[in-house]
Amino acid sequence: MKVVLIGRGRLATNLLAALQQAGHEVVNINSRTLEGLPLEADAFIVAVKDSALEEVVRRATKGREQQLFLHTAGSMPMSLFEGHTSRYGVFYPMQTFSKERLVDFAEIPVFIEGADPAIRPLAESISRRVYELSTEARKYLHLSAVFACNFVNHCYALSAELLEQHGLPFDVMLPLIDETARKVHELHPHDAQTGPAVRYDENVIRMQSALLADNPELQQIYELLSLDIHRKASKQ
């Protein structure tokens, strides 16, 4: 297939490599200028940040109203294409991406939406895990990903700050992080949870909370998470 990929960010960099590896002819276009944007292709994939998506779609679809357009955003509706093109859909790879480290797209779940028959074959050409999902359900999928990825990574950053304040390198946490991630491949996250909050060991929790007295916001995060972990463990 001839695919036009609009965008050059982290997702677009990884998607470009995956599409090329699958044998597609790919034209990669800078979303800021749209210079060299072809008039026709089997699919136009818009992989830009959410805040720029509607504007890029408006500009890119002009004169291409019969072409298939797809966006890659987890939280944006498919309906944003309405009035711009008659063929459209969603092509959402649920993964965290970086330009420095290309991922294996074959293992990434790709969530699709739209009636056009070309969407599923395109997704299946790069991923073994393709699912149809509505806009409404995709909102909750994306929200869940924020908890599982972005918030977890923020906790890594908080851990790194605490370690650095006391002259310790963050890499001492890597074996712990790796084992925690491995466990949830086999156990439900509730069953994999350990630590003082599960038992609500008040002596340890009180002592650790006191260590954060000079950082009230972090202390509040610690106490809220500890309480919620214990609450859910008690229900189990």
Side-chain angles (χ1 to χ4, degrees):
M1 296 176 69
K2 180 178 180 180
V3 179
V4 175
L5 179 60
I6 301 173
R8 293 187 176 175
R10 293 187 296 270
L11 190 159
T13 298
N14 281 261
L15 185 54
L16 173 63
L19 290 167
Q20 290 176 331
Q21 187 175 1
H24 298 291
E25 177 189 349
V26 188
V27 179
N28 189 205
I29 299 295
N30 188 323
S31 61
R32 293 181 180 179
T33 64
L34 294 183
E35 184 178 352
L37 185 65
L39 287 174
E40 296 183 352
D42 294 300
F44 290 76
I45 301 178
V46 185
V48 300
K49 60 184 180 180
D50 291 2
S51 60
L53 182 56
E54 293 191 59
E55 172 63 17
V56 172
V57 165
R58 184 187 65 79
R59 293 166 53 214
T61 54
K62 191 173 183 179
R64 303 170 183 83
E65 290 82 1
Q66 304 304 313
Q67 299 295 302
L68 172 61
F69 276 82
L70 307 169
H71 77 64
T72 60
S75 58
M76 299 295 282
M78 182 174 68
S79 60
L80 65 83
F81 287 111
E82 292 177 359
H84 298 292
T85 178
S86 60
R87 299 171 60 204
Y88 53 84
V90 175
F91 189 99
Y92 172 50
M94 195 187 68
Q95 181 56 283
T96 179
F97 297 99
S98 65
K99 290 187 175 182
E100 298 79 15
R101 175 182 169 85
L102 295 181
V103 299
D104 180 6
F105 246 89
E107 299 300 324
I108 296 175
V110 176
F111 295 87
I112 60 173
E113 184 181 10
D116 196 286
I119 301 174
R120 176 171 282 276
L122 178 60
E124 290 179 341
S125 73
I126 63 171
S127 172
R128 292 193 287 265
R129 305 179 64 186
V130 177
Y131 307 90
E132 293 187 18
L133 198 67
S134 68
T135 288
E136 191 61 27
R138 186 163 28 85
K139 292 177 184 177
Y140 289 97
L141 177 74
H142 189 254
L143 173 61
S144 300
V146 167
F147 274 94
C149 176
N150 307 125
F151 288 175
V152 169
N153 192 72
H154 183 62
C155 286
Y156 294 161
L158 296 176
S159 172
E161 288 176 7
L162 284 169
L163 290 165
E164 289 164 5
Q165 289 168 11
H166 297 278
L168 294 166
F170 180 68
D171 62 14
V172 300
M173 289 293 165
L174 295 181
L176 176 64
I177 290 170
D178 292 343
E179 180 58 21
T180 302
R182 278 192 292 265
K183 281 199 297 185
V184 294
H185 283 264
E186 302 173 4
L187 300 172
H188 190 283
H190 287 312
D191 297 327
Q193 188 63 267
T194 61
V198 172
R199 306 177 300 275
Y200 210 72
D201 188 333
E202 292 191 55
N203 290 335
V204 175
I205 291 172
R206 192 179 303 113
M207 180 269 292
Q208 292 186 336
S209 178
L211 293 174
L212 299 171
D214 61 342
N215 190 335
E217 290 184 357
L218 186 55
Q219 186 181 55
Q220 185 179 22
I221 291 171
Y222 174 87
E223 292 176 353
L224 287 172
L225 286 174
S226 295
L227 184 61
D228 199 49
I229 288 170
H230 178 64
R231 185 185 296 120
K232 287 181 169 51
S234 298
K235 289 181 180 179
Q236 291 299 109

